[in-house]
Amino acid sequence: DAEGNPFWTGHKRPPTPIKFSPEDPLHIDYVLAAANLRAHVYGLKGSRDRKFVKTEACKAKLSEFRPDKGKKVAKTDEEMKTMMEEELHGLDQKLESLKSALPKPSSLTGYRLTPLEFEKDDSTNFHIDFITACSNLRAANYKIKPASKHQTKQIAGKIIPAIATTTALVAGLVCLEVYKLVQEMPIEAYSNTYANLAIAHVTGSEPMPPAKNAVELKGGKKFEFSLWDRMEVRLGPDATLQQLKDYFEEQYGLEIVMLSYGKALLFSQYGFMAKKKNKIRLKLSMPELVETVAKVKVDRAAAFLMFEAMVTTVEGDDVDIPSVRFWMTPCS
């Protein structure tokens, strides 16, 4: 951990790797159930022949597990939060890339997949078999007592209705709040709801308004903002960094001294070589600037880009402002 103590100490039980063995009934149970579930999804005929599954499983060549050298493990909650933010950065671009990699619908004519709906009371569908095998393999990793098929069925039977009931309740409560939002009702009309179905307890409380910061802008105009507010900028997708700086000076009387996108510093008037870099960057459009400095592909069809800006007044005083939402949609 962060203090240098071994992770697997005290009550933490280290997992033990399991090597596949065709002679272990649990291993064959898992392969048999998983293969049959996959076959059902693709509309193929499954098999209950354990001998056949055992023979075919022996033919599979499993590559030796090698840890990813580039994989970093978070040592603190703060480090975990930072890593999660890094993964979310550019998520829209990653999703678009995955979507473009999918085959065209026309190429899948006649190709049909069948979704499987969980049913614990059908002993022939391999659902409970698969869950039992999976949970017992994990139990073996941690040297925990395995559960029988009957015990697994009992546990699964209790979990599914609980999830469905809670989800229905939460979905209904969320919809009630959405109705209030659409009608632009005052904050007193909203409700934070706590529910514990295990003890049949539901209670509501009035939410507090978000904390607000206030800054004085050009002409003595006051600007109040909360965690949920953004500085909205609609200059069009071709607007340059210089135009963005000019816009802030003209509209708000504020000078952008630093601008970042995610963890990439796009502009800074401080530091060595800043003048030379800025001379080039000020002429770039905002999407081009992000692609050049942050090394990410900007989806030109995206609605907006989010920036963090450090600004000062004309007198040089620092001013806190919310994130800058730069709209990519053309100005109307």
Side-chain angles (χ1 to χ4, degrees), residues 5 60 86 90 107 144 156 173 177 187 197-198 212 247 265 286:
N5 300 314
E86 288 176 355
S107 67
I144 300 171
L173 291 170
E177 300 306 307
I187 193 168
L197 299 187
K212 289 196 173 185
Y247 175 83
L265 184 61
M286 297 310 295

Side-chain angles (χ1 to χ4, degrees), residues 15-28:
T16 304
I18 299 175
K19 189 173 183 179
F20 175 73
S21 171
E23 303 305 324
D24 191 323
L26 177 58
H27 296 189
I28 299 301

Side-chain angles (χ1 to χ4, degrees), residues 148-310:
S148 68
K149 192 172 172 180
H150 180 67
Q151 289 173 315
T152 303
K153 184 176 178 180
Q154 280 186 315
I155 295 169
K158 291 177 182 177
I159 292 174
I160 301 303
I163 292 175
T165 308
T166 305
T167 304
L169 173 63
V170 172
L173 291 170
V174 168
C175 287
L176 287 175
E177 300 306 307
V178 170
Y179 294 149
K180 300 171 188 176
L181 192 64
V182 171
Q183 297 177 67
E184 298 183 351
M185 298 177 76
I187 193 168
E188 294 80 14
Y190 294 84
S191 175
N192 282 330
T193 304
Y194 171 81
N196 187 335
L197 299 187
I199 57 174
H201 176 73
V202 179
T203 183
S205 63
E206 187 177 307
M208 294 288 291
K212 289 196 173 185
N213 296 319
V215 296
E216 191 170 319
L217 302 178
K218 186 178 181 180
K221 183 180 178 182
K222 281 194 174 182
F223 173 58
E224 286 192 344
F225 65 93
S226 72
L227 175 70
W228 305 102
D229 293 312
R230 301 289 181 266
M231 295 284 275
E232 308 288 352
V233 177
R234 293 183 179 272
L235 297 175
D238 298 323
T240 63
L241 174 58
Q242 182 64 63
Q243 288 175 311
L244 179 65
K245 280 175 59 61
D246 293 343
Y247 175 83
F248 264 77
E249 290 177 15
E250 293 168 9
Q251 289 290 116
Y252 309 116
L254 300 174
E255 181 183 3
I256 297 177
V257 294
M258 290 181 73
L259 186 73
S260 62
Y261 175 81
K263 290 200 169 184
L265 184 61
L266 305 180
F267 169 81
S268 174
Q269 69 178 27
Y270 309 117
F272 180 65
M273 293 288 286
K275 201 172 214 181
K276 186 176 180 182
K277 287 181 180 178
N278 293 342
K279 189 175 182 181
I280 300 171
R281 294 180 182 182
L282 286 168
K283 297 177 182 178
L284 296 176
S285 69
M286 297 310 295
E288 289 173 337
L289 180 63
V290 171
E291 291 180 332
T292 303
V293 182
K295 308 298 182 187
V296 295
K297 181 68 178 174
V298 174
D299 180 10
R300 294 304 200 276
F304 55 82
L305 293 171
M306 293 297 297
F307 300 108
E308 300 298 327
M310 183 181 292

Side-chain angles (χ1 to χ4, degrees), residues 1 23 32 38-39 51 61 69 73 84 99 106 110 117 132 140 146 189 201 209 232 260 282 299 306:
D1 57 17
E23 303 305 324
L32 182 67
R38 188 172 175 82
K51 187 176 179 180
K61 294 181 180 179
K69 293 182 179 179
V73 179
M84 290 177 68
K99 282 168 63 177
S106 57
E117 187 173 339
T132 304
H201 176 73
E232 308 288 352
S260 62
L282 286 168
D299 180 10
M306 293 297 297

Side-chain angles (χ1 to χ4, degrees), residues 36-44 102-103 105 107-117:
N36 274 280
L37 288 176
R38 188 172 175 82
H40 292 166
V41 169
Y42 285 91
L44 304 175
L102 292 173
S107 67
L108 300 174
T109 304
Y111 197 73
R112 187 181 294 268
L113 297 180
T114 305
L116 303 182
E117 187 173 339

Side-chain angles (χ1 to χ4, degrees), residues 42-62:
Y42 285 91
L44 304 175
K45 185 179 179 181
S47 173
R48 291 182 171 273
D49 189 342
R50 294 181 67 87
K51 187 176 179 180
F52 169 75
V53 171
K54 182 177 177 180
T55 303
E56 292 301 311
C58 288
K59 296 178 183 177
K61 294 181 180 179
L62 304 176

